[in-house]
């Protein structure tokens, strides 16, 4: 690879190593990893940083993200954005006066507020397009805030790389339940309260009351937490303005307190029963939302995973035993259980699903006792998994439950599942008619 | 996010017309075949008819090659010792049979500009006709979504991932569409729309009949006078499309090219056919027909030979 192309990578390695190696040394080593060992650039960079005792954990792979993908609480983010506004303010930190810079950044996905804590050598101007490495994020009023600290590296780019970006400010965004995303700022959403309960919780050592439940419109359902008593009752239809969206394990949740405006409305709205019966969701849409409460997906079980079948569980903690051993309690007399761990894929995305004994028995048409008997007869536990593999792999299944997201993708603890039967003909005819109507 | 690669539902025609490979970023870069409609295929799922299975194992090592037809073309599948589950399933199957396959996309590039696409299967199961019909429906739907996304992209002065996402397309599709437009330039979406329509018709018996009557009415007016309407079977439809004289031309052509006992490379046939004013798409139809009839076969991927 040409040396000039390696320059930004060398700079990044140097930064991660805190100047332990000279640029020439890094260049030589990087070249060796790339040309001799044929490592990929990110891998080579990581290896060099680790080898010289640098911190490779927060070390970015030089991977720029869209602003809409950035989450609160990230220690190291890289992105390309346009500077939409630049303001300065004098603050007092530990008795010392200091000037900081703040404003908005934007790209073609969203706009976010930023604060620059060290403004020397940061000649930011409105309209600049900058590539940023090593920023960190916080949450502020339900919105991601980007911070430029001491580790920041900013490079000016060609301003035409990002076109005009409107600043998202002013009134709350009016959205449907399905459109709710983590950290989108103030939102206004309308829905029917499907359930609500009062709970006592402790927040930062203080006892507090929270009213939590499920709100639904025709696009989906969302968990909400009201931190102030709005005297909400089940089945009421309400418009909530100036709420914020937080995420619990990736699932967007609505949160609001006395800053919010809540109006009870009497217009026509789908009944609780209609809202309860969720339609099918696309896995790609759930992935874009970062998870979802109580949804139904339909797809093919593309893989029955290890850990499926007949397993033994620890009587103390119910963990699955590995060769008769519990990770926590050592060798124990386990009790048998059945489960399915599989990947369900609907063509738009994939979700890892776990089904309990009851669901497994129903899908397989065999009880736990019968499975135990079979395994004993064959003197082999694995035959239950083998049978599962034979019977369920590549079968079409409908599954309902909540879907959560983490770095390994989406997962669902399945509440309800069955083999799906689809009236292909009707649906195919409908698609064909639509297609022919376009011609 | 290390999310699992989705199993794309893609018709053979779209998959086999891909010539763009793309490698992702990160520690373990994922390789993709980017189709002309912007599907970034690493994993895929196909349900079709297994038309033949060949045991090509050597020295005690298992290896099977299979061909699977969908309404638009054929997929090539190869399973060896590193795909034990799929190889096992193939060893037990006897064609013709409906089969469902999930596997990884593979491209073989013997020389610059030539690509043969196949599937390296992870799992294969024999299924019923209902499962096949459902797959055709799903593949049709997802192809239509991609056609729509590509058309939106082609209408933009400079399509971007962000702009497509704003229209509601998922990020991986938006990214694939931007790459497809950049690489394939003018994408003939009508061609794919037509094959979706034909595929849907193929799983709806009544409309197939209607289509057939129309086709024979317009194309074979003269012939229809002399003989009663032909049997309403799909086979017949192909008969209408690919004339026997064209098949003859291609067979003769292959005979003249055949110097190597292993067969003739596909691209040489394409070249020679061009001289006879048979374009590639047409040639593919004729060759598919000849393969079906058993007049020719493919001794190895990319090679054609007369029987």
């Amino acid at each position: 690879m040409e040396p000039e192309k390696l320059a930004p990578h060398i700079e990044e390695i140097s930064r991660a190593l805190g100047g332990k190696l000279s640029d020439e040394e890094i260049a030589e080593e990087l070249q060796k990893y790339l040309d001799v060992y044929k490592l990929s650039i990110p891998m080579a960079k990581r290896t060099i940083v680790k080898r010289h005792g640098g911190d490779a954990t927060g070390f970015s792979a030089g991977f720029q993200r869209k602003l809409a993908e950035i989450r609160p609480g990230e220690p190291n983010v890289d992105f390309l954005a346009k500077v939409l506004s630049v303001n300065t303010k004098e603050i007092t930190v530990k008795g010392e006066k200091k000037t900081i810079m703040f404003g908005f950044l934007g790209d073609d996905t969203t706009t976010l507020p930023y604060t620059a804590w060290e403004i020397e050598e940061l000649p930011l101007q409105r309209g600049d397009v900058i590539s940023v490495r090593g920023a960190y994020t916080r949450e502020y009023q339900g919105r991601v805030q980007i911070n430029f600290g001491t580790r920041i590296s900013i490079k000016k780019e060609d301003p035409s790389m990002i076109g005009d970006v409107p600043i998202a400010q002013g009134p709350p965004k009016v959205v449907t339940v399905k459109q709710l995303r983590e950290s989108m700022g103030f939102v206004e959403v309308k829905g029917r309260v499907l359930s609500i309960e009062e709970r006592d919780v402790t927040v930062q050592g203080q006892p507090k009351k929270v009213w939590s439940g499920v709100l639904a419109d025709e696009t989906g359902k969302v968990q909400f937490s009201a931190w102030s008593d709005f005297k909400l009752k089940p089945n009421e239809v309400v418009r909530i303005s100036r709420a914020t969206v937080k995420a619990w394990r990736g699932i967007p949740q609505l949160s609001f307190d006395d800053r919010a405006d809540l109006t009870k409305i009497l217009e026509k709205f789908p009944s609780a029963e209609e809202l309860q019966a969720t339609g099918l969701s696309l896995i790609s849409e759930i992935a874009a939302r970062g998870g979802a409460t109580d949804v139904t997906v339909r797809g093919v079980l593309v893989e029955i995973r290890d850990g499926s079948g007949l397993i033994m569980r620890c009587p103390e903690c119910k963990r699955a035993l590995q060769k008769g051993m519990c990770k926590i309690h050592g060798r124990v007399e386990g009790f048998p259980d059945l489960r399915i761990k599989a990947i369900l894929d609907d063509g738009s995305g994939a979700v890892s699903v776990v089904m309990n004994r009851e669901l497994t028995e129903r899908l397989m048409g065999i009880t736990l006792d019968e499975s135990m008997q079979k395994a004993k007869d064959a003197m082999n536990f694995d035959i239950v998994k083998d049978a599962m593999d034979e019977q369920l792999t590549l079968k079409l299944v409908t599954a309902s439950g909540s879907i959560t997201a983490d770095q390994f993708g989406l997962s669902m603890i399945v509440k309800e599942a069955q083999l799906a039967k689809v009236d292909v003909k009707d649906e195919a005819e409908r698609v064909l008619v639509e297609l022919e109507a376009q011609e | 996010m290390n999310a699992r690669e989705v199993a794309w539902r893609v018709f053979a025609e779209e998959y086999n017309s891909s010539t763009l490979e793309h490698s992702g970023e990160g520690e373990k870069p994922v390789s993709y075949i980017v189709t002309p409609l912007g599907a970034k295929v690493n994993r895929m799922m196909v349900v079709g008819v297994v038309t033949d299975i060949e045991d090509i194992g050597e020295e005690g090592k298992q290896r099977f090659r299979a061909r699977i037809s969908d309404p638009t073309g054929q997929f090539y599948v190869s399973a060896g010792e590193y795909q034990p589950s799929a190889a096992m399933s193939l060893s037990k199957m006897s064609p013709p049979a409906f089969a469902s396959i999930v596997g990884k996309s593979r491209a073989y590039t013997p020389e610059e500009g030539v690509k043969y696409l196949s599937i390296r299967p992870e799992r294969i199961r024999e299924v019923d006709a209902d499962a096949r019909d459902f797959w055709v429906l799903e593949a049709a739907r997802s192809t239509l979504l991609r056609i729509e996304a590509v058309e939106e992209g082609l209408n933009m002065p400079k399509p971007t991932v962000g702009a497509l996402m704003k229209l509601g397309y998922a990020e991986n599709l938006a990214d694939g569409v931007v790459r497809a437009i950049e690489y394939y330039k003018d994408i003939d979406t009508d061609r794919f729309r037509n094959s979706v329509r034909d595929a849907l018709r193929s799983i709806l018996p009544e409309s197939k009949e209607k289509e057939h009557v129309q086709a024979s009415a317009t194309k074979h007016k003269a012939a229809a006078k002399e003989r009663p309407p032909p049997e309403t079977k799909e086979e017949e439809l192909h008969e209408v499309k690919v004339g026997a004289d064209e098949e003859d031309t291609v067979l003769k052509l292959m005979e003249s090219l055949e110097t190597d006992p292993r067969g003739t490379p596909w691209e040489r046939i394409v070249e020679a056919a061009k001289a006879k004013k048979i374009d590639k798409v047409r040639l593919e139809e004729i060759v598919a027909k000849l393969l079906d009839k058993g007049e020719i076969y493919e001794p190895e991927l990319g090679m054609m030979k007369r029987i």
Side-chain angles (χ1 to χ4, degrees):
Chain A
M1 186 182 266
E2 306 97 273
E4 60 268 29
K5 279 198 182 154
L6 289 180
H9 301 299
I10 292 168
E11 197 185 310
E12 207 178 348
I13 295 168
S14 169
R15 190 151 37 85
L17 287 174
K20 243 188 233 176
L21 292 183
S22 73
D23 284 2
E24 290 74 41
E25 286 170 308
I26 295 172
E28 195 182 314
E29 198 160 335
L30 185 58
Q31 204 86 51
K32 187 176 78 189
Y33 278 112
L34 296 179
D35 296 345
V36 183
Y37 299 108
K38 305 281 181 207
L39 291 183
S40 68
I41 289 192
M43 192 63 196
K45 284 159 70 180
R46 203 174 276 262
T47 314
I48 295 170
V49 171
K50 268 194 190 152
R51 220 182 97 164
H52 295 282
D55 178 15
T57 51
F59 188 65
S60 85
F63 168 57
Q64 284 188 342
R65 285 183 295 168
K66 294 286 179 194
L67 294 182
E69 297 165 358
I70 295 172
R71 298 280 164 256
E74 293 197 51
N76 195 350
V77 291
D78 298 353
F79 57 85
L80 180 77
K82 185 171 212 148
V83 180
L84 303 179
S85 57
V86 179
N87 312 290
T88 51
K89 171 160 83 175
E90 202 162 82
I91 57 163
T92 311
V93 181
K94 291 176 192 155
E96 268 183 59
K97 282 215 157 91
K98 175 173 182 177
T99 308
I100 61 166
M101 203 189 272
F102 65 96
F104 277 89
L105 297 170
D107 67 5
D108 52 2
T109 62
T110 190
T111 58
L112 293 177
Y114 74 92
T115 305
W117 301 95
E118 308 291 334
I119 65 166
E120 266 104 86
E121 295 165 41
L122 267 192
L124 287 189
Q125 272 180 7
R126 211 179 127 195
D128 285 351
V129 168
I130 50 173
S131 61
V132 176
R133 282 158 184 266
Y136 64 96
T137 62
R138 291 273 179 271
E139 187 192 296
Y140 182 66
Q141 292 201 336
R143 192 163 187 180
V144 177
Q145 184 176 44
I146 296 194
N147 290 277
F148 297 165
T150 47
R151 295 197 306 130
I152 195 75
S153 142
I154 292 180
K155 206 170 109 213
K156 282 202 189 181
E157 304 286 352
D158 177 3
S160 67
M161 284 173 79
I162 297 179
D164 286 340
V165 182
I167 302 183
Q169 269 175 325
K173 245 189 189 161
V174 179
V175 290
T176 60
V177 167
K178 194 176 173 175
Q179 291 166 331
L180 292 171
R181 298 281 184 284
E182 186 185 7
S183 309
M184 65 196 305
F186 281 138
V187 295
E188 178 177 310
V189 64
K190 191 166 78 174
R192 190 184 286 277
V193 178
L194 294 185
S195 64
I196 183 161
E197 58 170 357
E198 186 183 326
R199 289 189 299 138
D200 291 306
V201 292
T202 312
V203 178
Q204 287 163 356
Q206 301 288 316
K208 260 189 139 175
K209 271 193 193 310
V210 58
W211 288 262
S212 60
V214 175
L215 186 82
D217 68 6
E218 51 275 83
T219 68
K221 296 175 196 161
V222 63
Q223 286 272 348
F224 69 83
S225 300
W227 296 93
S228 168
D229 189 4
F230 289 96
K231 311 253 183 300
L232 281 171
K233 286 187 215 64
N235 223 11
E236 274 177 341
V237 178
V238 289
R239 177 184 293 116
I240 306 163
S241 192
R242 284 203 301 280
T244 58
V245 188
K246 306 236 150 98
W248 175 78
R249 292 187 61 188
I251 305 181
Q253 298 196 331
L254 201 62
S255 173
F256 48 95
D257 55 21
D258 48 18
R259 283 177 304 170
D261 276 338
L262 200 136
T263 339
K264 297 185 180 167
I265 46 182
L266 296 167
E267 64 191 65
K268 205 166 160 270
F269 206 79
S271 71
E273 291 72 40
E274 286 169 301
L275 294 170
Q276 208 47 271
T278 43
L280 289 177
S281 300
L282 279 180
I283 296 173
S284 59
E285 278 168 15
I286 297 167
R289 289 168 70 184
T293 309
D294 205 0
V295 285
T296 303
V297 292
R298 183 177 68 201
V300 167
L301 297 179
V302 290
E303 185 184 334
I304 304 294
R305 301 173 62 199
D306 287 343
S308 295
L310 193 52
I311 55 163
M312 299 303 273
R313 288 189 184 276
C314 170
E316 302 265 343
C317 62
K318 305 215 163 40
R319 278 187 178 80
L321 304 182
Q322 308 287 329
K323 292 185 179 135
M325 301 281 281
C326 170
K327 252 201 318 209
I328 308 295
H329 301 95
R331 188 161 293 280
V332 288
E333 188 68 31
F335 68 93
D337 197 6
L338 266 182
R339 72 169 171 192
I340 298 172
K341 291 175 87 175
I343 306 285
L344 186 145
D345 185 310
D346 72 352
S348 78
V351 54
S352 168
V353 297
V354 181
M355 300 187 210
N356 66 11
R357 188 187 97 196
E358 197 197 327
L359 292 168
T360 307
E361 287 181 336
R362 225 174 330 126
L363 279 185
M364 295 281 295
I366 186 170
T367 64
L368 173 61
D369 291 344
E370 287 163 356
S371 305
M372 271 302 268
Q373 198 51 52
K374 278 198 172 159
K376 275 182 188 155
D377 291 348
M379 306 244 286
N380 182 1
F381 261 44
D382 293 342
I383 65 155
V384 179
K385 193 214 159 189
D386 294 346
M388 222 172 239
D389 200 1
E390 205 47 54
Q391 222 176 310
L392 296 177
T393 300
L394 294 172
K395 284 279 157 55
L396 187 66
V397 167
T398 310
S400 310
S402 290
I403 293 184
T404 58
D406 63 19
Q407 76 258 38
F408 302 112
L410 302 174
S411 46
M412 176 193 251
I413 307 286
V414 181
K415 283 207 294 204
E416 195 52 59
Q418 53 256 304
L419 292 175
K421 195 89 189 103
V422 184
D423 188 350
V424 175
K425 244 205 222 156
D426 270 12
E427 193 51 28
E429 221 157 57
R430 201 184 58 73
V431 178
L432 188 57
V433 167
E434 263 175 37
L435 189 58
E436 283 172 342
Q438 285 173 16
E439 284 170 6
Chain B
M1 198 159 75
N2 287 320
R4 192 187 157 89
E5 288 295 329
V6 62
W8 291 86
R9 275 62 154 176
V10 179
F11 284 124
E13 182 178 16
E14 180 185 343
Y15 182 61
N16 292 334
S17 24
S18 312
T19 50
L20 174 61
E21 282 181 84
H22 164 67
S23 211
E25 292 173 348
E27 257 184 65
K28 287 185 192 159
V30 180
S31 57
Y32 301 95
I33 304 291
V34 184
T35 72
L37 295 178
K40 268 166 63 185
V41 185
N42 168 264
R43 178 174 278 120
M44 57 202 292
M45 187 207 155
V46 170
V47 184
V49 183
V50 177
T51 52
D52 65 77
I53 299 172
E54 233 182 313
D55 185 348
I56 51 165
E58 275 175 10
E59 293 161 21
K61 282 179 185 156
Q62 251 192 341
R63 178 158 283 281
F64 291 93
R65 198 158 50 192
R67 272 207 296 259
I68 297 187
S69 296
D70 78 359
T72 72
Q74 283 191 318
F75 292 100
Y76 300 90
V77 174
S78 169
E81 55 179 327
Y82 299 112
Q83 294 83 37
S85 153
M88 170 75 87
S89 306
L90 281 177
S91 74
K92 288 193 229 152
M93 215 174 272
S94 57
F98 289 116
S100 177
I101 294 184
V102 60
K104 297 282 195 150
S105 62
R106 294 275 289 163
Y108 167 57
T109 311
E111 58 185 277
E112 187 88 19
V114 184
K115 260 192 214 325
Y116 300 112
L117 298 172
S118 62
I119 307 175
R120 193 179 62 204
E122 294 170 311
R123 302 276 187 293
I124 303 182
R125 288 287 181 279
E126 204 165 326
V127 294
D128 57 15
D130 287 347
R132 193 272 315 261
D133 291 354
F134 180 70
W135 180 83
V136 170
L137 172 62
E138 282 214 306
R141 272 209 203 107
S142 81
T143 309
L144 289 174
L145 179 75
R146 290 194 290 278
I147 289 175
E148 196 187 286
V150 165
E151 286 176 346
E152 293 279 8
L154 287 171
N155 280 335
M156 294 175 183
K158 194 183 176 304
T160 63
V161 175
L164 283 163
M165 281 172 77
K166 256 193 196 143
L167 293 173
Y169 297 104
E171 195 190 350
N172 64 343
L173 177 57
D175 184 63
V177 166
V178 171
R179 288 175 197 283
I181 290 175
E182 193 188 315
Y183 175 84
Y184 296 104
K185 306 279 186 309
D186 297 319
I187 300 158
D188 180 9
T189 49
D190 278 340
R191 168 183 163 206
F192 295 108
R193 194 178 271 116
N194 287 339
S195 67
V196 167
R197 203 189 42 215
D198 292 346
L200 284 170
R201 280 182 184 149
S202 77
I203 58 168
L204 289 169
E206 309 91 283
S207 71
K208 188 165 38 177
E209 204 165 314
K210 201 171 72 190
E211 159 75 358
H212 176 79
V213 172
Q214 275 172 2
S216 32
T218 50
K219 289 185 188 168
H220 271 220
K221 262 184 193 153
K225 276 183 197 162
E226 288 157 33
R227 54 187 169 128
E231 298 272 294
T232 51
K233 275 198 299 198
E234 204 180 8
E235 288 293 312
E236 298 281 340
L237 244 176
H238 279 286
E239 215 82 73
V240 174
K241 278 188 185 162
V242 180
D245 43 337
E246 276 180 312
E247 287 174 21
D248 241 28
T249 312
V250 172
L251 273 176
K252 289 219 178 79
L253 202 115
M254 285 179 63
E255 187 181 359
S256 67
L257 292 171
E258 220 162 279
T259 46
D260 188 329
R262 285 180 302 147
T264 311
W266 169 242
E267 64 270 23
R268 284 193 54 200
I269 303 174
V270 175
E271 281 295 305
K274 217 184 264 170
K276 300 256 179 215
K277 302 248 183 303
I278 300 174
D279 70 11
K280 196 175 164 191
V281 177
R282 190 76 188 142
L283 179 68
E284 274 167 4
E285 282 169 8
I286 299 166
V287 164
K289 187 68 195 162
L290 289 169
L291 281 167
D292 279 352
K293 281 191 175 172
E295 303 251 15
I296 58 175
Y297 71 112
E298 216 172 345
E300 58 188 279
L301 214 56
M303 301 290 266
M304 293 287 173
K305 194 166 161 43
R306 289 177 318 133
I307 285 172

